[in-house]
Amino acid sequence: MENYRIVFSDLDGTLLCSSHELTERTRQAVRGLTAAGVGFVPASSRMPSGIYPFCADLGIACPIIAYGGALALDANGARLYEAALTDFEAQEILLYLNRSYPELCCCLYSENSWLAQRPADPWIQLEREITGLTPRPLADSDRIPCWHKVMCMGEAELIARVCRETRERFPNVSVFPSKDTFLEIQSPQASKASALRAVCRAYGIDPAQTVAFGDHENDAAMLEAAGLAVAMGNATPGLKRLAARIAPDNDQDGVAAVLAELFSLKLEE
């Protein structure tokens, strides 16, 4: 067994099954991992309050990476890394999106605040069902110093166009699809790789002693920064190409299967 000391895992499409839940086998694997003294870090595009319920379900207190690497917190909630848009940047981007793509559904995130321009929009309702969280309406008077993410939701063709054109309009921010119908706009310093390295520094761990799991292109930098890169069976072709190994897909307990093998965990059938 290699001397891996900490495991980083994306949530949706990776640690969670397609119904966005933890399976019992995955719970067993993560609990067995932490009982053996190996760290575990959820690394998600979700906000902190969308990650902590899974930590509670697993029965562990652990660092987390939120907003795709824009924010990393230690097990006590103290900041380990942060990369945010200023209020001016976020408002400028939002104004451009509203004027150029009125059919696009947009919202803003800061820490544990989720603000939506149209809370009744069907896209917002879908996100509420997935995360179990509820946004508050975004008011013109809202001014928050640090925004961790601007998120846009829409049909795949629209998202592809918005992605291309927004990158041209705002070359100094990070614009990327987290799936075909979701577009995320963040500080260019927001990265799961940067957050991974910050967590490692805080806990005195060499990044070569890490394992990282992911399923989408926004996990690529994290997998490249890790000692062992594992792509899910349901991952994008691009992510599979850079991974050292491929796990079964997220509906086949892929993370649990690889953890059991790497760390000699005994899982009940």
Side-chain angles (χ1 to χ4, degrees), residues 7 10 31 64 69 81 87-88 96 100-101 112 125 142-143 147 155 189 196 226 233 241 246 252 254 269:
V7 173
D10 175 53
R31 289 169 183 166
I64 66 165
Y81 184 78
D87 183 69
F88 177 80
Y96 165 76
S100 303
Y101 318 100
N112 281 309
Q125 298 308 308
D142 281 316
R143 290 292 179 266
W147 292 101
E155 297 299 333
Q189 283 75 47
L196 177 151
R241 283 193 293 271
I246 309 299
Q252 296 178 317
E269 295 297 332

Side-chain angles (χ1 to χ4, degrees), residues 116-181:
Q117 290 184 301
R118 302 191 298 269
D121 190 291
W123 287 104
I124 296 293
Q125 298 308 308
L126 177 61
E127 185 69 358
R128 287 183 60 181
E129 292 172 8
I130 292 172
T131 64
L133 303 173
T134 300
R136 69 176 177 85
L138 175 65
D140 290 340
S141 58
D142 281 316
R143 290 292 179 266
I144 295 176
C146 294
W147 292 101
H148 292 113
K149 180 169 71 174
V150 178
M151 187 165 77
C152 311
M153 295 174 278
E155 297 299 333
E157 183 177 343
L158 173 63
I159 290 296
R161 180 164 61 92
V162 174
C163 180
R164 182 179 63 255
E165 295 174 359
T166 304
R167 282 175 174 168
E168 293 174 358
R169 177 66 176 79
F170 297 96
N172 295 321
V173 300
S174 174
V175 182
F176 61 93
S178 53
K179 56 184 179 181
D180 290 347
T181 54

Side-chain angles (χ1 to χ4, degrees), residues 10-29:
D10 175 53
L11 287 182
D12 297 284
T14 302
L15 192 72
L16 308 181
C17 64
S18 293
S19 57
H20 305 283
E21 298 173 321
L22 291 165
T23 67
E24 182 53 37
R25 194 168 177 81
T26 297
R27 291 188 190 94
Q28 286 182 43

